[in-house]
Amino acid sequence: MAARPLINVPPKAKRGEIIAIKSLISHEMETGFRPNATGQLIPRNIIKEFVCTYNGVEVFRAEFFPAMSANPFVSFTTRATESGTITMTWSGDNGFHASESVALTVE
């Protein structure tokens, strides 16, 4: 299954307002500890890192580990300081990389 990032950021905010940022990415996480039908371990395949930037400045970072569930959901807040771009990036095993950006207008 291909990763499909979904992000939720308000399109507009007042200067100085605290805004909620939410993300969900479809990804079949595999711990590397589970055997397949023949008893062989299924290779680990997890998202290892999530980074969110606001106009190029990092505002949130998370590391994920094998115990993390499939389709990780992340929710956090930041202060709206200026109009710009919020970019979320996920990276993981086997060269996995996904990125999604949205615009935020600050009034």
Side-chain angles (χ1 to χ4, degrees), residues 35-92:
N36 62 17
T38 63
Q40 299 290 325
L41 290 180
I42 300 170
R44 187 176 97 158
N45 184 20
I46 67 170
I47 294 174
K48 296 190 294 187
E49 185 175 64
F50 169 79
V51 178
C52 179
T53 60
Y54 180 11
N55 285 340
V57 177
E58 186 176 304
V59 294
F60 186 85
R61 174 182 294 268
E63 290 183 50
F64 299 139
F65 297 92
M68 186 68 184
S69 68
N71 307 323
F73 173 76
V74 178
S75 179
F76 58 96
T77 60
T78 193
R79 187 174 305 275
T81 57
E82 61 186 353
S83 295
T85 304
I86 294 177
T87 302
M88 298 183 193
T89 305
W90 298 261
S91 58

